[in-house]
Amino acid sequence: MVSLANQLLHPNLNQQVLSIIERCIHLNHLKQLQCFLTTLGHSQNQLYAFKLVRFCNLKLSNFTYARHIFDNVVSPNIYLYTAMITAYASHPDHHLKALALYRDMLRRGCPQPNQFIYPHVLKSCPEVLELSGTKMVHAQIVKSGFVQYPVVQTAIVYSYARLNDNIGSARKLFDEMSERNVVSWTAMISGYTRVGDVDNAVSLFEEMPDRDVPSWNSVIAGFTQNGLFPEAISFFRRMAVVGGQSKDIRPNQVTVVCVLSACGHTGMLQIGKLIHGYVYRNGLVPDLFVLNALLDMYGKCGNLKEARSVFDRSSKKNLTSWNSMINCFALHGRSESAIRVFDEMKQYEDHVVRPDGVTFIGLLNACTHGGLVKKGLAYFELMTRKYQIEPRISHYGCLIDLLCRAGRFEKALEVVREMKMEPDEVVWGSFLNGCKIHSRSDLAEFAVKKLIEIDPNNGGYGIMLANLYGESGKWDEVGKVRKMLKDRNAIKVPGCSWIEIDKQVNMFYSVDKTHPKTEKIYDTLESLICHLFQLAESSYHEYNF
């Protein structure tokens, strides 16, 4: 950077500025370049200001200094406004600043918005002003005459689709579009999956004239986000088949992360391993999102050895990686292993990672499974005192679970009274679980009543209360509870299980007979029961003989 002055005196100044910006790696380098441009009389040059602002936002992620450069330009043009608003809109914490800058531009009356700035403004509207913001910008677009531009139409659809109550408005605009491309189709599909309308999302996907990887990902991610894990895996297989015929449609990091999540939730280890192989063959390993998804999948499927192997082989680890490893061990009762991982992480906290709320949820769960009450209480205090992490309801749920499993009910109730928020179903559910372990029917009745207050239409809680009364011989109370359940038409959510056989996922609900092989399954079950009775009878006669 020493020869900047000589380089900037070169006749082709534009090329020289561009060349130097490409070699900048630090804010001080950028400041040197800005200083030389000012010395040469180019402090108000819109082109150079645009390049500096853009580089500051994209490469350095320094929005503050980029805004400083922007504010020192007397009359910023539309490109400078677009660069600054685009940067703000791309970051969740700066959506308000994006809209404020757009408002200031309109009030000044110069420059006038164009088709390139509206999509970024619309991106921030749902986050800050919800429906009113999208409607106002939509009206401005109509007045300014840019409503027929496909890129603007797509942005309007996407903005409405992100508002849960306006998916119908988004679809109406989508159907009226003069020109629909793969981006607009994908925006509409994502809108449907966001509100849980997966049927319409899939139907729209099937109608698409052309598809790209993001459109496939939007459906797979939609299935995963809405708990339709077997469907996500089925769609992934279909995408892989299409990918074998077209190099343009191949699963990428986003696809892999979504489908690994589905495998983890359903315990489909074999499919997860196949996807792991795909990751290696296609060079996706260095991606941290993929690494963390693999850790999560192996952990949820119970293959802790492979989870630890993936973790140890990775040279890049972020906080999510450490949290995933801690939670893997905690989930399966490997308390000491979870604590050891935390101790390893603490050695790097000054340079790489610092524990967050998720870390301590994993540690508290580990202590719960290991019965480590003192250690759990110490971690809760460490979280609040040293790391200044405000406990959330999930932390309280873990702590109460820990105390109740150990029979420390008075301490648990003390924690409930000191909470800064109202106890939820997890808290009282943890309390109830402890009561069952220690046969505290009096406190169990109290906990179930609290659960019914929170969710009166959950028949499962009412059935629990009726059973508790039945065990205590309070038959009049049993009758009252059953009448209450009938009057409220309360239902018990059926349990669900997934079983993977020959790479095929089978889903079963409690008392469900819709499976195509139900008759054969029940026949086999009856045969097994009969066989067990025969064995028991044989053992009985042999013993008596």
Side-chain angles (χ1 to χ4, degrees):
M1 302 300 290
V2 179
S3 60
L4 270 177
N6 292 331
Q7 291 189 44
L8 289 174
L9 292 175
H10 193 279
N12 197 340
L13 188 59
N14 290 348
Q15 287 185 4
Q16 292 299 323
V17 170
L18 186 60
S19 173
I20 293 167
I21 284 181
E22 287 176 353
R23 300 206 308 277
C24 288
I25 58 173
H26 192 273
L27 182 59
N28 286 338
H29 295 162
L30 194 75
K31 286 180 177 179
Q32 287 182 54
L33 177 57
Q34 183 188 11
C35 206
F36 278 114
L37 286 169
T38 303
T39 303
L40 293 172
H42 293 295
S43 63
Q44 295 300 309
N45 186 295
Q46 302 273 358
L47 175 62
Y48 297 147
F50 170 78
K51 288 180 178 179
L52 293 173
V53 166
R54 192 167 181 272
F55 180 85
C56 208
N57 284 326
L58 295 180
K59 299 295 184 181
L60 303 180
S61 298
N62 192 327
F63 297 161
T64 303
Y65 197 77
R67 183 60 184 265
H68 170 72
I69 297 170
F70 176 88
D71 287 340
N72 280 280
V73 177
V74 176
S75 299
N77 62 18
I78 189 62
Y79 302 105
L80 271 167
Y81 270 102
T82 302
M84 206 63 238
I85 289 173
T86 301
Y88 283 146
S90 66
H91 199 285
D93 295 335
H94 294 290
H95 286 304
L96 181 59
K97 291 181 181 178
L99 292 180
L101 188 58
Y102 171 70
R103 180 200 59 198
D104 293 344
M105 184 184 76
L106 294 180
R107 286 177 177 176
R108 289 180 61 174
C110 182
Q112 291 297 316
N114 63 11
Q115 70 270 31
F116 301 111
I117 204 168
Y118 282 125
H120 303 290
V121 175
L122 284 163
K123 185 178 180 181
S124 296
C125 285
E127 306 296 332
V128 181
L129 300 173
E130 298 183 343
L131 179 60
S132 60
T134 300
K135 282 186 171 181
M136 283 191 293
V137 177
H138 187 183
Q140 289 163 1
I141 290 169
V142 173
K143 290 177 183 178
S144 63
F146 288 105
V147 75
Q148 293 303 316
Y149 284 77
V151 66
V152 177
Q153 289 178 330
T154 299
I156 297 170
V157 168
Y158 182 70
S159 191
Y160 277 114
R162 289 174 65 195
L163 300 161
N164 292 350
D165 297 333
N166 283 272
I167 194 68
S169 301
R171 183 57 190 265
K172 184 175 183 294
L173 290 165
F174 175 80
D175 290 338
E176 292 172 353
M177 285 181 68
S178 56
E179 181 183 330
R180 288 179 291 197
N181 56 26
V182 69
V183 178
S184 53
W185 284 86
T186 304
M188 195 64 238
I189 291 168
S190 297
Y192 275 129
T193 60
R194 188 176 290 107
V195 299
D197 191 350
V198 180
D199 290 339
N200 263 322
V202 173
S203 176
L204 206 61
F205 177 85
E206 301 296 354
E207 293 175 23
M208 286 183 73
D210 298 298
R211 302 181 186 117
D212 60 3
V213 174
S215 60
W216 281 91
N217 287 348
S218 65
V219 179
I220 294 171
F223 280 134
T224 303
Q225 290 159 9
N226 287 283
L228 301 171
F229 306 119
E231 288 83 351
I233 293 167
S234 176
F235 234 77
F236 171 77
R237 285 173 166 160
R238 181 178 160 189
M239 181 183 180
V241 171
V242 173
Q245 301 166 353
S246 170
K247 292 182 179 180
D248 295 331
I249 308 292
R250 286 191 176 176
N252 61 8
Q253 285 93 335
V254 176
T255 325
V256 167
V257 168
C258 291
V259 78
L260 282 172
S261 175
C263 291
H265 278 93
T266 52
M268 287 179 261
L269 180 59
Q270 294 306 314
I271 294 177
K273 284 183 174 179
L274 291 174
I275 295 167
H276 191 176
Y278 174 87
V279 166
Y280 271 105
R281 288 193 302 274
N282 290 273
L284 301 178
V285 179
D287 188 288
L288 265 173
F289 291 104
V290 175
L291 164 71
N292 294 333
L294 284 167
L295 282 173
D296 183 67
M297 183 274 295
Y298 279 121
K300 285 177 178 173
C301 291
N303 194 330
L304 301 181
K305 183 179 178 181
E306 190 60 37
R308 182 75 207 214
S309 177
V310 170
F311 180 80
D312 289 339
R313 286 199 304 267
S314 173
S315 57
K316 299 178 180 178
K317 298 182 183 77
N318 61 4
L319 179 58
T320 304
S321 312
W322 290 97
N323 285 347
S324 295
M325 200 66 249
I326 291 169
N327 279 288
C328 282
F329 285 126
L331 182 67
H332 294 280
R334 297 275 295 275
S335 307
E336 295 300 331
S337 297
I339 290 168
R340 275 198 299 273
V341 173
F342 177 65
D343 290 338
E344 291 174 31
M345 187 181 82
K346 283 197 296 182
Q347 297 174 11
Y348 300 94
E349 68 181 47
D350 294 335
H351 306 288
V352 182
V353 291
R354 180 180 173 86
D356 66 355
V358 177
T359 313
F360 285 97
I361 287 174
L363 289 169
L364 289 169
N365 277 326
C367 292
T368 298
H369 290 297
L372 308 173
V373 178
K374 287 185 179 179
K375 212 167 188 66
L377 289 168
Y379 280 135
F380 192 85
E381 186 176 356
L382 181 72
M383 175 183 78
T384 54
R385 293 278 180 87
K386 180 179 178 180
Y387 294 105
Q388 303 295 308
I389 297 171
E390 187 70 25
R392 298 195 301 270
I393 191 73
S394 49
H395 295 107
Y396 284 115
C398 293
L399 183 61
I400 288 164
D401 192 22
L402 170 67
L403 293 168
C404 290
R405 283 173 186 255
R408 303 271 301 270
F409 295 105
E410 292 302 321
K411 178 65 176 175
L413 287 171
E414 182 185 325
V415 171
V416 171
R417 285 192 292 268
E418 292 176 355
M419 285 170 57
K420 295 180 181 179
M421 67 283 289
E422 285 296 316
D424 65 355
E425 288 180 82
V426 175
V427 169
W428 290 118
S430 299
F431 195 91
L432 175 62
N433 187 50
C435 292
K436 288 179 179 178
I437 293 170
H438 295 278
S439 302
R440 290 293 301 269
S441 58
D442 54 334
L443 291 175
E445 182 182 334
F446 171 72
V448 173
K449 285 181 177 178
K450 290 291 184 181
L451 287 166
I452 291 173
E453 286 177 16
I454 294 170
D455 187 2
N457 294 320
N458 188 325
Y461 298 146
I463 291 169
M464 282 184 200
L465 185 59
N467 291 340
L468 285 169
Y469 284 141
E471 290 170 7
S472 304
K474 300 177 181 178
W475 300 109
D476 289 342
E477 297 297 329
V478 172
K480 290 177 183 178
V481 172
R482 294 197 179 280
K483 184 177 184 304
M484 176 195 72
L485 291 172
K486 186 177 180 181
D487 292 343
R488 292 179 179 175
N489 196 26
I491 59 170
K492 181 179 180 181
V493 179
C496 178
S497 300
W498 292 274
I499 299 174
E500 180 188 355
I501 301 173
D502 297 329
K503 299 179 183 179
Q504 181 66 40
V505 181
N506 295 269
M507 187 185 297
F508 296 93
Y509 286 95
S510 179
V511 201
D512 175 31
K513 295 186 178 181
T514 59
H515 193 278
K517 294 184 179 180
T518 293
E519 190 174 338
K520 188 176 180 180
I521 291 168
Y522 275 91
D523 287 343
T524 304
L525 184 61
E526 286 180 12
S527 299
L528 288 170
I529 292 170
C530 288
H531 183 61
L532 286 172
F533 272 120
Q534 289 171 3
L535 286 174
E537 190 175 284
S538 175
S539 299
Y540 174 77
H541 287 305
E542 185 178 344
Y543 176 78
N544 279 297
F545 176 77

